[in-house]
Each structure stands twice: as structure tokens, then as C-alpha cells.
Amino acid sequence: MIDTQTEHALTNELIELLHSSGRIIEIKKGTFLFQEGQAASEMFLILSGRIQISKMNAEGQELYLRLCSLHDIVGELTLFTEDPRYIFNARVIEDGHVAGIQLDLLEKALFQNSNLSYQFIKWMNDHIRRTMTKFRDLVLYGKKGALYSTLIRLSNSYGLPQEDGIHINVPITTQDLAHFCATAREIVSRMLTVLKNKKVISMDHKKIIIHNLDYLKKENDCENCPASQCTID
């Protein structure tokens, strides 16, 4: 898998705190770890499995924001807020386990340990920067730019380089891609067909193979930012 963890991964000290201080929760595919508007009392560290973070608008249209896996944090935006509530949905898409740590315990630990606070602030800063670039791509480059950006990010987070290209090691449907791009499945399907005809990508049982990553970057006016800042998690 392409290594993008070095620059934005949690430190061992922070992982140990979240793991040891939290309760271990089994998560099942198709359920929600938490939902938008729900009162928040815990933040979560993923130990195994995968969780999809999304936002729903008033019309029921869903926008996928993150695809999270091992050692990713979810529910982090509830820290240091009054009457904390989750602002996104966290749907389990692969069975696993998470560690849930009480917000008040984590806040206390961060107040007491300046080095830990620095590590967490640094992680949050990197996380926010990655999130902002996703919105930039969606707003500035339109539906096609959002799709190309999503494919590039998937390759950085879940890409396995092989002789014939970069294999995205998670199943992704056309509807999933549409949710990442905030558009209709039919529009994404047409754009994927164009990419297939140009031999830029191919599909194998819901898994994408990218044959020409440079094409996607060129078409999207890629700024060649570090791969760690261009991820889907």
C-alpha cells in the first residue's frame, strides 16, 4: 500500500492514551457508531474495520467526507465544546472494533500533558488542512474535478502499486463515488466510462485500478502537494 501515514499519523503516545483509556466497542457493518445531532460523550479510535463519515442535507442528499480505518480518529470535532453533539454520521462499512474515550477524560489529559496537547493539535491541524483541500476540489473544479480528486485520494490512502497500475484495495461503487462528489450516480457513471475508454482506469469487481495517475493529476491541475495531505481518510 502507498505510504501516506508518516506525516499525519497519530503518535504512539497518543494512540496508547486513546486505546488504554477507552472502552472497546465491537462495530457491525450497516450500523452507525454515531449520527448527526446525537449528544456526544465520546471520541473514537478505530482499531479495526472501516467507518464512512458523511453529512446529510435537508433534502436527504448525502456527501461522503472520509473513509476511515486503522488508527483514524472519528468524532474529534466534539472536543472543547459546550453541549457537544456529533455533526456528521459515522456508518460502519466493515466489521471491527473501536476504542471510545470519554471527552472529559481526554480534555483533562490534554490539559495536563503539554507534549500530548502539541501532538493532538498538530494532528488536528493536518486533518483540517486535508478536509479543506477536499472542499476546494469540489467547489473550484466541479464534478469532474471532484471525481478525479477522489480517485487520486483513494490511490494515496488505499492504493497497491502493481505492474498494471494502482489497485484500490477497498470496494468502491459508482454510487459511493457519487456521494464523494455530491452528484448523481449517472453523472459519475458517464465520467467513469470516459476514463475507461481512455484506458486511465478499469474496474474489477467493484475495485478500481488506476492505470494513468498522471492523467488525473494533469486534468485536475494537481499542485503536487505531499501524498499525506491528499488522502480520503
Side-chain angles (χ1 to χ4, degrees):
M1 185 173 295
I2 295 175
D3 182 12
T4 62
Q5 300 301 313
T6 304
E7 293 186 33
H8 73 263
L10 298 174
T11 64
N12 290 335
E13 184 179 358
L14 193 51
I15 290 174
E16 180 61 28
L17 169 69
L18 297 174
H19 194 171
S20 62
S21 300
R23 63 187 182 99
I24 306 302
I25 307 166
E26 184 177 12
I27 53 176
K28 290 292 186 180
K29 181 179 178 179
T31 63
F32 285 89
L33 181 60
F34 55 80
Q35 291 183 275
E36 184 177 348
Q38 178 184 337
S41 60
E42 292 178 290
M43 193 180 75
F44 303 93
L45 173 71
I46 300 176
L47 304 177
S48 61
R50 289 194 176 93
I51 292 177
Q52 182 73 70
I53 303 299
S54 65
K55 182 78 172 178
M56 189 84 70
N57 66 15
E59 289 73 39
Q61 184 180 17
E62 192 172 18
L63 172 64
Y64 287 176
L65 298 170
R66 301 171 63 199
L67 178 58
C68 305
S69 57
L70 177 66
H71 290 168
D72 283 329
I73 289 176
V74 294
E76 71 286 349
L77 297 179
T78 56
L79 276 174
F80 301 108
T81 60
E82 294 184 10
D83 187 26
R85 294 184 178 275
Y86 298 113
I87 61 175
F88 301 123
N89 297 309
R91 181 168 55 89
V92 180
I93 60 174
E94 182 182 294
D95 293 353
H97 293 82
V98 299
I101 181 171
Q102 291 290 323
L103 296 178
D104 56 348
L105 294 179
L106 179 57
E107 290 171 357
K108 183 178 180 180
L110 293 175
F111 273 125
Q112 294 176 342
N113 188 327
S114 59
N115 182 55
L116 197 65
S117 297
Y118 169 76
Q119 294 173 20
F120 191 80
I121 291 171
K122 187 175 185 300
W123 176 85
M124 280 292 293
N125 181 62
D126 291 342
H127 172 54
I128 291 171
R129 288 176 64 187
R130 294 197 306 276
T131 300
M132 293 303 295
T133 59
K134 293 175 188 176
F135 285 120
R136 175 203 64 191
D137 293 343
L138 181 61
V139 173
L140 295 183
Y141 300 127
K143 306 305 181 184
K144 186 173 80 169
L147 174 61
Y148 290 7
S149 171
T150 298
L151 292 173
I152 294 169
R153 293 175 189 280
L154 283 168
S155 74
N156 288 333
S157 292
Y158 296 102
L160 292 173
Q162 304 288 343
E163 290 186 2
D164 60 340
I166 301 172
H167 290 233
I168 307 301
N169 196 33
V170 289
I172 298 289
T173 67
T174 304
Q175 186 62 69
D176 290 333
L177 292 172
H179 284 316
F180 274 115
C181 301
T183 191
R185 182 182 61 82
E186 293 77 13
I187 294 175
V188 170
S189 181
R190 287 196 294 269
M191 291 190 290
L192 290 175
T193 298
V194 171
L195 292 176
K196 291 175 188 176
N197 291 338
K198 292 183 177 181
K199 310 298 183 184
V200 175
I201 68 166
S202 61
M203 303 284 290
D204 182 18
H205 297 94
K206 294 184 180 180
K207 291 192 176 180
I208 301 170
I209 304 172
I210 300 177
H211 304 290
N212 191 346
L213 186 64
D214 288 338
Y215 175 89
L216 298 175
K217 290 182 176 181
K218 181 179 178 180
E219 288 293 304
N220 229 33
D221 294 325
C222 182
E223 298 176 358
N224 293 314
C225 54
S228 61
Q229 295 179 18
C230 187
T231 61
I232 207 72
D233 52 9

